[in-house]
Amino acid sequence: MTLKEAFEEFILSKRLSGIGENSIINYKATISLMLQELGWNLPVQEVTFELVSDYILNLLKRPLSRATISSYIRNDRIFLRWVSNEFGLPFDPAKIKVPKSPKKNVHIYTDSEIAVLFSAVKTSIPWITARNIALLALMLDSGLRQFEVCSLLKVNIDKERHIIRVTGKGAKDRMVPVGDTTLELLDTYLSICPYDGPYIFYGRRGTLLSGNAIRLFVYRLEKKLPFSLSSHKLRHNFATNFCIDHIKSYGSSDVYDLSIIMGHESIETTKKYEHFAHEMIAAQNRISHLDLCLGKGKNLPT
């Protein structure tokens, strides 16, 4: 069994497990880099810890971000663990350590920035403007991923209970919350959308809105804004604000509920939002000792 043969079986097993095509593409792009360096025709029994370590050391020398390198090594370890379980390896892949990604706090949009964001959406076609506003609202208010927005069905919106059924990664369904404002924006869009079908979002010619179309829209929108924007940033904002609002209202972040809403496999992925929310609240609730001492601008030293 060569690495190439093992990799083909690995990809097949992932497809059979029902994971999305984007995840398949990601596995192929990241793991193939390691296989190319080790040798596609190398027998799996000859894959040693030393060979993998040399590859990782070379990877660390590349002009890549630490987060990107961590992602590559994480996927490599997933593959090698699968190979070890299926065919056996001369070492335990658990020995491979994934470098920690540098901590980066997500920019949380202020109320005025959110107003600027929505005002910048306007186009010459009213129904396209309404569609894009509703699309942004869903990602910011419910934490939806791009592909989840594209596949959203009308029948999956429960206005009475303020929830939406979403099909996420691995074709897994979950429930997410939706507010009155977003529901009103959706109604406005649907009332003037020229296309009537089972899905919510359609392109200019009546075809199902694609992930590439959303990416292009967000990219062009960012060019009009004085701050950065991406679909993932909108999702990060939802998660952080969820924690902040719950801490302020109930004294708890409800991070377990958030992990379910976000569709995370592990709660550890969600805890970073809880930590950031506490940071934000602590900073906002600070008492400036210097203000107390000098009287907020009075008696300033000269």
Side-chain angles (χ1 to χ4, degrees), residues 173-225:
D173 286 349
R174 70 181 192 282
M175 300 294 185
V176 301
V178 60
D180 286 322
T181 300
T182 300
L183 287 175
E184 289 180 17
L185 292 172
L186 280 169
D187 283 342
T188 299
Y189 155 63
L190 291 172
S191 69
I192 60 175
C193 177
Y195 306 109
D196 185 20
Y199 292 95
I200 292 180
F201 294 107
Y202 290 92
R204 292 173 183 265
R205 294 178 175 81
T207 56
L208 189 62
L209 193 66
S210 67
N212 285 335
I214 296 179
R215 275 188 287 274
L216 182 59
F217 155 62
V218 173
Y219 172 77
R220 288 175 174 171
L221 181 59
E222 185 185 32
K223 298 299 181 183
K224 303 178 183 179
L225 302 171

Side-chain angles (χ1 to χ4, degrees), residues 259-293:
S259 69
I260 296 173
I261 292 171
M262 297 286 283
H264 289 158
E265 291 290 333
S266 169
I267 196 171
E268 295 302 318
T269 308
T270 320
K271 283 185 176 179
K272 64 181 179 182
Y273 299 112
E274 178 184 43
H275 179 77
F276 186 39
H278 280 291
E279 278 189 358
M280 291 282 291
I281 292 173
Q284 291 171 351
N285 291 344
R286 95 283 183 264
I287 298 175
S288 170
H289 184 72
L290 198 59
D291 286 350
L292 295 174
C293 178

Side-chain angles (χ1 to χ4, degrees), residues 236-255:
H236 286 323
N237 267 256
F238 161 76
T240 305
N241 283 321
F242 179 96
C243 291
I244 290 173
D245 294 340
H246 277 71
I247 291 170
K248 289 182 175 179
S249 299
Y250 310 115
S252 168
S253 63
D254 289 330
V255 69

Side-chain angles (χ1 to χ4, degrees), residues 159-171:
K159 296 181 181 179
E160 183 177 350
R161 290 184 290 183
H162 288 78
I163 57 176
I164 301 175
R165 191 174 71 203
V166 177
T167 301
K169 289 184 176 180

Side-chain angles (χ1 to χ4, degrees), residues 66-85:
R66 183 56 64 95
T68 299
I69 290 174
S70 296
S71 175
Y72 273 58
I73 297 174
R74 188 177 296 109
N75 285 349
D76 291 337
R77 188 168 66 176
I78 289 172
F79 168 66
L80 291 173
R81 278 179 171 172
W82 182 88
V83 173
S84 181
N85 291 334

